Amino acid sequence: MSIFYSIGLSALMAVVSVAAPAQNINVIHALTAYEASVKKMPDKQLVDIQKAIPDITLDIRYATSNNFMKRVMYPEARAFARKPVVAQLKNIQRELRTKGFGLKIYDAYRPYAITIAFYEQASDKNFVADPKKGSKHNRGCAIDLTLVNFKTKEEIPMPTPYDSFEAAAAANYPNTTAEQRKNRDFLIQTMQKHGFKVLSNEWWHFDFIGWQQYELLDIPFKAL
Ligand SMILES: [Zn+2]
């Protein structure tokens, strides 16, 4: 049983309505505190993915209303991740390119305040992070992505669309077409080879191994 069920609903509402960090988790809200953490450990820098990998495709759904929230959550269609995460994405893109594929990013670093908003509205809490723990997206260490044809930038067939709440979104869901399974498993294996682990109930979500070193952040895109 998770911690979530052991606290009362009123306590949860208090947490989400004031957008305050839950107890016992450390969230960096101030830009100066984030900058100080980068000074101490340069790997903590949030890097603009498109700037670092110009031929990567972005489809930042939360900067549009084409997402499960059905409203614009990000003011800008940008994607950031911590420095070593982006370095690995660069290696992955290089490898995929030789095979005629490329990466398409749906979401990367996500400010903590957005995680709270998702949790308030999501119909299925299994698909959104509990604000009491935060999301690895808040740490700049999780990426939602898929494969595209490198030339046409068209998506390669996968078992479900991005952010589907269906059972078929599971990373090992068996009842897919052979083509969907082959593509999904190729994506998962390629990501694993470069230090990422797929989330068991979302084939598109990958956590960077070593995420524990990076704090939860609530720095808005416009400050970066
Ligand atoms: Zn994700």
Side-chain angles (χ1 to χ4, degrees):
M1 179 172 280
S2 79
I3 293 165
F4 165 70
Y5 294 103
S6 67
I7 65 165
L9 185 64
S10 58
L12 176 74
M13 293 316 287
V15 168
V16 294
S17 62
V18 298
Q23 275 180 341
N24 302 324
I25 63 162
N26 179 27
V27 182
I28 294 183
H29 294 274
L31 184 62
T32 49
Y34 158 70
E35 286 168 346
S37 75
V38 173
K39 212 166 180 183
K40 242 175 147 177
M41 184 177 153
D43 274 358
K44 288 189 176 172
Q45 194 193 340
L46 285 170
V47 173
D48 185 311
I49 297 175
Q50 182 109 74
K51 278 187 190 153
I53 315 168
D55 66 8
I56 208 163
T57 305
L58 294 192
D59 180 11
I60 306 302
R61 294 290 181 85
Y62 298 123
T64 73
S65 54
N66 180 18
N67 60 61
F68 80 95
M69 298 287 283
K70 306 273 182 268
R71 60 191 170 103
V72 176
M73 302 300 295
Y74 292 169
E76 295 171 80
R78 296 172 76 192
F80 299 88
R82 304 279 193 169
K83 205 173 176 180
V85 178
V86 178
Q88 286 298 353
L89 291 175
K90 198 168 184 169
N91 292 335
I92 293 164
Q93 179 78 355
R94 186 182 303 128
E95 180 179 327
L96 288 173
R97 215 184 278 130
T98 65
K99 297 174 179 172
F101 299 109
L103 291 174
K104 175 169 169 173
I105 309 280
Y106 296 121
D107 193 25
Y109 162 63
R110 178 187 305 154
Y112 182 73
I114 309 286
T115 289
I116 293 174
F118 283 0
Y119 197 79
E120 279 183 300
Q121 194 166 321
S123 57
D124 184 340
K125 308 292 188 211
N126 290 316
F127 283 87
V128 289
D130 183 344
K132 281 188 76 72
K133 289 185 198 147
S135 162
K136 291 167 192 90
H137 284 287
N138 306 143
R139 297 176 188 269
C141 289
I143 312 277
D144 297 337
L145 48 71
T146 193
L147 292 173
V148 291
N149 176 302
F150 187 78
K151 273 193 192 138
T152 66
K153 306 301 180 199
E154 265 175 55
E155 288 187 13
I156 301 302
M158 290 290 180
T160 69
Y162 171 57
D163 260 358
S164 162
F165 284 14
E166 298 162 75
N172 63 356
Y173 187 77
N175 301 326
T176 65
T177 68
E179 189 192 8
Q180 289 166 342
R181 189 160 56 246
K182 186 176 140 239
N183 294 336
R184 179 195 66 198
D185 294 351
F186 171 62
L187 174 65
I188 293 171
Q189 281 159 19
T190 306
M191 294 297 290
Q192 263 174 4
K193 207 161 77 177
H194 293 275
F196 291 89
K197 188 172 179 280
V198 72
L199 189 67
S200 63
N201 59 346
E202 299 179 359
W203 63 260
W204 57 83
H205 174 112
F206 294 88
D207 292 323
F208 182 66
I209 293 167
W211 57 265
Q212 294 88 342
Q213 293 185 72
Y214 301 88
E215 297 92 349
L216 299 156
L217 300 174
D218 195 22
I219 309 297
F221 286 4
K222 64 177 188 305
L224 296 170

